[in-house]
Amino acid sequence: MRKSSPPPSIDLVLIRQAILDDLPAIRKLEQQSATAAHWAEREYDALFAPEAPRRIALVAANEAGTQQIQGFVIASCAVEEWEIENVVVAPDRRRGGVASALIHELLRNAARRGAVSLGLEVRESNVAARQLYEKLGFSEIGRRAGYYRDPIEDGLLLRISIAVP
Ligand SMILES: CC(C)(COP(=O)(O)OP(=O)(O)OC[C@H]1O[C@@H](n2cnc3c(N)ncnc32)[C@H](O)[C@@H]1OP(=O)(O)O)[C@@H](O)C(=O)NCCC(=O)NCCS
């Protein structure tokens, strides 16, 4: 008798608001990624400080109740114009739709809270991120010459309008 093949593994991704206990995993992912924006520990701690600038942090969790995360996105939330400050997916989880799911959820949050646009800045050479944003519908609206260091490189300003729900 032929042995039946095991069922395909299904990676359940839950997108939820980050909590304080997620910070070590968020920092670890960020540090593993050369092209991520790099923040000091105190900047991550400030995410949860009551007097902190308004930000939203979402994580892609493996399942409810665990602090294992596959990726995260952090955005600043001015009233009408939100901005992605960092988005990182674990190297072994890339190309699985995690960043897309995080940004779609961010866009839903932004729409519910009355934002009209979501913007960001990306290194010109960051092909993966640029393709991701293009696929999600972001458009290039400007360029900051020599904005990035190590190596010096232009930053591209991208933006997407948010439909009123
Ligand atoms: C950029 C990044 C967040 C993408 O995360 P991800 O979960 O792999 O993205 P998704 O699976 O949602 O990809 C969606 C689309 O983006 C594009 N894309 C993603 N990674 C790509 C790559 N390496 N090369 C080309 N296109 C890519 C593709 O169009 C992809 O759709 P497809 O897989 O159907 O072709 C991830 O590569 C990462 O963490 N990079 C390091 C951190 C970083 O640079 N962050 C951006 C700072 S601005």
Side-chain angles (χ1 to χ4, degrees):
M1 200 171 82
R2 272 179 60 202
K3 267 174 74 178
S4 62
S5 50
S9 67
I10 300 168
D11 283 334
L12 291 177
V13 180
L14 169 78
I15 307 294
R16 60 165 172 78
Q17 297 262 353
I19 57 172
L20 195 56
D21 284 351
D22 292 319
L23 281 185
I26 287 175
R27 293 195 65 227
K28 191 170 165 197
L29 273 190
E30 184 241 82
Q31 285 162 0
Q32 285 171 352
S33 172
T35 52
H38 296 294
W39 285 11
E41 190 170 354
R42 66 179 182 315
E43 294 176 280
Y44 282 107
D45 292 341
L47 276 174
F48 295 96
E51 72 282 3
R54 286 185 63 78
R55 285 202 167 93
I56 182 170
L58 301 175
V59 295
N62 287 352
E63 55 190 61
T66 73
Q67 257 61 67
Q68 283 192 337
I69 64 168
Q70 301 180 12
F72 71 89
V73 61
I74 296 174
S76 63
C77 315
V79 179
E80 291 196 332
E81 297 189 355
W82 287 29
E83 185 174 340
I84 293 178
E85 296 183 315
N86 216 353
V87 54
V88 183
V89 171
D92 62 345
R93 298 289 177 171
R94 290 182 188 166
R95 296 309 281 269
V98 174
S100 302
L102 283 162
I103 295 172
H104 279 303
E105 185 56 26
L106 181 65
L107 286 165
R108 277 191 285 273
N109 272 271
R112 276 200 298 273
R113 287 158 59 176
V116 299
S117 72
L118 177 65
L120 61 97
E121 184 159 288
V122 61
R123 265 185 191 273
E124 188 168 27
S125 65
N126 192 343
V127 174
R130 287 180 61 188
Q131 295 279 337
L132 164 73
Y133 300 131
E134 186 181 331
K135 189 169 182 186
L136 292 175
F138 285 78
S139 310
E140 190 176 323
I141 56 158
R143 169 186 291 267
R144 283 197 185 125
Y147 178 76
Y148 288 99
R149 292 282 173 275
D150 301 323
I152 293 180
E153 200 178 325
D154 289 359
L156 303 181
L157 301 168
L158 309 185
R159 183 179 183 276
I160 189 170
S161 296
I162 294 175
V164 179

